[in-house]
Amino acid sequence: MINLIPPRAKKGLLVEYWVRVISVWMTTWAFTLLLGAAIVLPAYVLISSQVSVYEESAAEASRKVENYESVSVALVQASQQARVIIDEAKYEPMSDLLALFEEMQGNDINLTTIILERSATAEGFEPVTLTGIAADRHSLASFRDRLLAVPEVDDVELPISNLAEDRDIRFTITVTFKEV
């Protein structure tokens, strides 16, 4: 029956046949692509929203880490300051020693310089140096004895050269305290 169709019509039928085949395939591919897009679209929306949530969460975590680092530095500094305060609380206040020396000097002794330093190795003080003027030898010797009578004092060093004069004696005494 195909032989009965004239060649020109045959060529027209062939063109129409391929146009129909191509249009059916194109329609099938378009429908498949639209169906695939419809299936993938919810997953894409879900993933993109989760990505934005995770980005916000990561930014918040970064801010918290920065805040934690600044707080941890401040906490370390506060801890070190507290350690210094606790360590200083163990020591006898310098003002107590100054009051002790003022009390011990009496009327015949005039202290001009008191040099106090904390001991770097132990709790307590380095030997204290007292410089001043004594009215006479007896008042200087009694001042030394009063210092030795204090329970915390280990030794009082009064150089002999300080006793060379009779009146208005300039002296330098080194007071060593007992280790705590």
Side-chain angles (χ1 to χ4, degrees):
M1 204 148 57
I2 196 95
N3 293 339
L4 297 177
I5 300 179
R8 209 175 217 185
K10 190 176 180 184
K11 189 175 182 184
L13 280 174
L14 189 60
V15 168
E16 186 179 333
Y17 170 78
W18 281 111
V19 166
R20 287 183 181 181
V21 167
I22 290 173
S23 66
V24 167
W25 275 106
M26 290 282 228
T27 306
T28 305
W29 275 107
F31 180 73
T32 305
L33 287 175
L34 283 174
L35 184 64
I39 291 173
V40 172
L41 184 65
Y44 173 76
V45 169
L46 178 66
I47 289 172
S48 65
S49 67
Q50 285 180 343
V51 165
S52 68
V53 167
Y54 286 140
E55 285 176 348
E56 291 173 8
S57 176
E60 180 67 25
S62 295
R63 285 191 297 274
K64 286 183 179 180
V65 164
E66 290 172 2
N67 187 28
Y68 169 76
E69 289 173 354
S70 67
V71 166
S72 67
V73 167
L75 184 60
V76 166
Q77 290 174 345
S79 176
Q80 290 171 346
Q81 290 172 350
R83 171 59 48 206
V84 168
I85 290 171
I86 290 171
D87 289 344
E88 285 294 322
K90 294 178 188 176
Y91 298 135
E92 183 178 355
M94 287 186 177
S95 60
D96 290 351
L97 286 178
L98 292 174
L100 173 75
F101 293 136
E102 292 290 326
E103 178 185 319
M104 293 288 164
Q105 74 180 355
N107 293 333
D108 295 337
I109 302 290
N110 182 16
L111 292 176
T112 57
T113 306
I114 300 173
I115 300 174
L116 291 170
E117 291 183 27
R118 293 238 185 247
S119 175
T121 57
E123 295 176 9
F125 294 96
E126 293 288 330
V128 177
T129 304
L130 304 173
T131 306
I133 300 171
D136 56 18
R137 288 184 202 157
H138 177 68
S139 60
L140 184 56
S142 66
F143 178 60
R144 179 183 167 276
D145 293 340
R146 286 192 302 266
L147 288 174
L148 280 173
V150 175
E152 295 87 20
V153 173
D154 188 30
D155 185 33
V156 177
E157 183 181 320
L158 177 62
I160 297 290
S161 62
N162 288 338
L163 299 174
E165 298 178 21
D166 192 29
R167 296 232 174 258
D168 295 329
I169 304 169
R170 295 192 178 278
F171 65 89
T172 300
I173 294 177
T174 303
V175 180
T176 306
F177 289 93
K178 294 179 182 173
E179 293 293 322
V180 178

